[in-house]
Amino acid sequence: MPDDVILFDVRDGLAHVTLNRPARLNAVDPAAIARWQDLAHEIADRDDIGAVLFDANGRAFCAGGDVLAMSALASDGDEPAGEVVRRLADRIHDGHRILRESTKPIVAAVQGPVAGGGLGFMLVADVVIASDRATFASRYADIGLTPDCGVSTLLPEAVGVRRALELTLTSRTLTAAEALDWGLVAEVVAPDALDARARAVASAWLAGPTSAFGQTKRLMHSGLGRPFQEALDDEARTIGASIETPYARRAVAEFARSASSR
C-alpha cells in the first residue's frame, strides 16, 4: 500500500495528516482508504500524539470517494459494484469513528473545494479553518447517490437538519463566507494565512492542558444522543479526574491566589 496517497508525520506531539492525490482532487481511492483507516488507528493508539493537523495538497481539499477508481475495481472482479462500494465505505467509516472517538483534538485546514464525502472527511475535525477560496457542495444528488463518509450524521450535527437537507438534496455550492454563517466552519482566513492559523490552534492545544482538551472532545461527542443522566455522571467522573492532574492543580491554585488578592 503506497504511503504517499496520504502523508503522515509526527513532530513535538503534533500529527500532520495530508491528503495527497491532487490530480484527482484528493478523492480517495482504495489505497487512500486503507491508508486512512490505518492512520486513524495509529493516531488513536500513540501516546506521543496530542493533537492533529489535517490538510490537503493541491487546489482542492477533498472530492470524496474516487468514483472512477471504485467503478473500475468493481468491473474488474466478480463482486457486485454495490458490495465493493459498501466494503470501502465501511473502511472509511471505521477510520472516521476511531478519530472521532479518540481524545486527540483535530484541526482541519481547508484550502479549496470540498464535495461529497469530502464533507465527512472535513467534519471529522473538531475545528475547521477555511481559506476564503474554499467552497462546499454535496453533489450526491447530481449522480444519484446517497451520503456516505459520515455526512448523514456529521453535516446535520454541524449545520442542522434543514440546512443539511438543502445542501444534499440540491446542487447548491456554499462559499466560505456562507459556510461560516451556517456554522460549517469555525473561521475563514486569507489563503496565505491558512496554515499558520491552523498550526496556531494545534499549538495552543499542545501548550495547554492537552488531557483536558481531549476529554472535553470525548464528552462533547459522546454526550450526543445518550441519556442526560449518563452524560452528567460521565462529566462528574471526568472533572473529578481532571482536577487531580498537575496542570489543573497549578492553574486552580493560581486562580485562587489571584481571586484572593482582588
Side-chain angles (χ1 to χ4, degrees), residues 9-261:
D9 179 57
V10 179
R11 296 184 187 181
D12 300 322
L14 179 64
H16 188 184
V17 179
T18 304
L19 300 179
N20 191 40
R21 300 188 74 229
R24 297 295 300 156
L25 304 180
N26 291 311
V28 293
D29 66 351
I33 290 169
R35 174 78 164 154
W36 175 258
Q37 184 182 31
D38 288 348
L39 287 176
H41 283 267
E42 181 174 350
I43 288 167
D45 290 342
R46 284 180 59 165
D47 293 335
D48 62 331
I49 293 174
V52 181
L53 171 61
F54 178 32
D55 60 12
N57 284 331
R59 69 179 185 86
F61 180 76
C62 182
D66 190 329
V67 177
L68 294 180
M70 293 179 191
S71 297
L73 183 65
S75 63
D76 287 344
D78 298 327
E79 203 173 14
E83 183 59 25
V84 171
V85 171
R86 185 202 61 76
R87 179 165 41 82
L88 292 171
D90 281 344
R91 299 197 71 175
I92 294 171
H93 296 165
D94 180 63
H96 283 19
R97 177 185 60 81
I98 290 295
L99 289 173
R100 182 176 166 89
E101 292 178 355
S102 79
T103 56
K104 314 295 172 65
I106 304 170
V107 57
V110 178
Q111 87 287 12
V114 185
L119 293 168
F121 277 88
M122 179 188 79
L123 290 172
V124 167
D126 304 295
V127 174
V128 180
I129 312 295
S131 158
D132 59 19
R133 294 178 183 171
T135 58
F136 307 85
S138 162
R139 300 289 183 259
Y140 286 110
D142 295 350
I143 55 174
L145 295 179
T146 54
D148 64 345
C149 299
V151 170
S152 66
T153 297
L154 298 172
L155 185 59
E157 180 183 296
V159 303
V161 173
R162 293 293 182 184
R163 281 179 160 172
L165 285 168
E166 180 180 351
L167 199 61
T168 52
L169 294 180
T170 71
S171 297
R172 179 167 181 176
T173 297
L174 300 180
T175 65
E178 289 172 326
L180 180 64
D181 180 61
W182 278 31
L184 189 59
V185 304
E187 190 174 344
V188 175
V189 299
D192 59 1
L194 179 63
D195 181 69
R197 179 62 188 131
R199 287 182 178 277
V201 171
S203 295
W205 289 333
L206 292 171
T210 306
S211 174
F213 292 144
Q215 289 302 318
T216 297
K217 168 184 173 173
R218 183 190 64 78
L219 284 169
M220 291 294 181
H221 288 315
S222 61
L224 296 169
R226 64 175 171 169
F228 188 39
Q229 187 59 54
E230 183 181 325
L232 293 175
D233 291 342
D234 193 357
E235 281 189 359
R237 287 190 300 269
T238 304
I239 196 169
S242 68
I243 202 168
E244 296 292 341
T245 63
Y247 189 103
R249 285 177 177 173
R250 291 193 302 271
V252 170
E254 178 60 31
F255 178 84
R257 283 193 298 270
S258 176
S260 64
S261 65

